[in-house]
């Protein structure tokens, strides 16, 4: 900020102080208001005329990492029941896990040719959980049982 702006701010404060003192305001109060106006003008000038980019906070994009605390809180929200059923986001997470685990064994969750093999591997209940009929979301209890089954696949000689 230039010296001229600072002098101008001080003159504006002095004019205000003298003006309201002439109107009958106490001298100390008039001086305080004049000083306040000068400070506000100088501060405004500094804030609006800053030419350096270093005055801005650097923007950092948060990138979620798998297994991070935000992942856990997101999943806990997604599994919260709505009318006795899990939410779509939680169901999608379980379904994508099932797809990955079955793909390791060469099975496609949505292939009619692989249905019998998947049912033999997971069981009918777990299969109906990840491929529900009629678009009805499964219950939290069914999701928990399905996750237990999918977890047991990891220990059962997954390639």
């Amino acid at each position: 900020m230039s010296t001229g702006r600072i002098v101008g701010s001080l003159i504006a404060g002095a004019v205000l102080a003298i003006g309201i003192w002439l109107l009958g305001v106490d001298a100390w109060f008039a001086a305080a208001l004049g000083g306040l106006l000068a400070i506000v003008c100088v501060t405004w000038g500094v804030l609006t005329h800053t030419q350096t980019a270093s005055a801005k906070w650097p923007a950092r994009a948060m990138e979620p990492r798998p297994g991070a605390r935000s992942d856990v809180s997101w999943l806990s929200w997604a599994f919260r029941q709505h009318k006795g059923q899990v939410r779509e986001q939680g169901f999608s997470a379980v379904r994508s896990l099932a797809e990955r685990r079955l793909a390791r064994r060469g099975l496609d969750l949505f292939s009619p040719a692989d249905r019998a093999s998947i049912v033999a591997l997971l069981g009918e209940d777990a299969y109906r959980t990840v491929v529900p009929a009629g678009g009805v979301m499964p219950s939290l209890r069914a999701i928990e049982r399905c996750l237990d089954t999918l977890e047991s696949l990891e220990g059962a000689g997954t390639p």
Side-chain angles (χ1 to χ4, degrees), residues 6-110:
I6 294 173
V7 170
S9 298
L10 293 173
I11 291 172
V15 168
L16 175 68
I18 292 170
I20 61 173
W21 176 71
L22 289 174
L23 291 174
V25 176
D26 187 41
W28 289 106
F29 187 74
L33 280 181
L36 181 64
L37 177 65
I39 291 171
V40 167
C41 289
V42 169
T43 305
W44 182 264
V46 169
L47 291 177
T48 58
H49 295 94
T50 301
Q51 299 296 325
T52 61
S54 64
K56 294 183 180 179
W57 288 96
R60 278 186 29 202
M62 280 187 57
E63 297 178 20
R65 295 172 294 149
R69 184 170 287 186
S70 61
D71 252 4
V72 173
S73 71
W74 177 83
L75 279 173
S76 68
W77 176 86
F79 285 118
R80 202 174 326 152
Q81 293 187 17
H82 177 69
K83 296 182 181 177
Q85 304 164 344
V86 297
R87 297 179 187 270
E88 177 70 32
Q89 295 89 346
F91 172 72
S92 296
V94 172
R95 179 181 270 181
S96 67
L97 175 68
E99 287 180 79
R100 288 191 309 266
R101 295 275 170 96
L102 292 171
R104 290 179 189 167
R105 295 176 176 267
L107 300 171
D108 181 12
L109 183 61
F110 302 107

Side-chain angles (χ1 to χ4, degrees), residues 93-134:
V94 172
R95 179 181 270 181
S96 67
L97 175 68
E99 287 180 79
R100 288 191 309 266
R101 295 275 170 96
L102 292 171
R104 290 179 189 167
R105 295 176 176 267
L107 300 171
D108 181 12
L109 183 61
F110 302 107
S111 171
D114 291 340
R115 185 187 190 283
S117 300
I118 294 171
V119 169
L121 190 63
L122 298 178
E124 186 67 37
D125 290 338
Y127 180 78
R128 278 187 303 202
T129 299
V130 292
V131 185

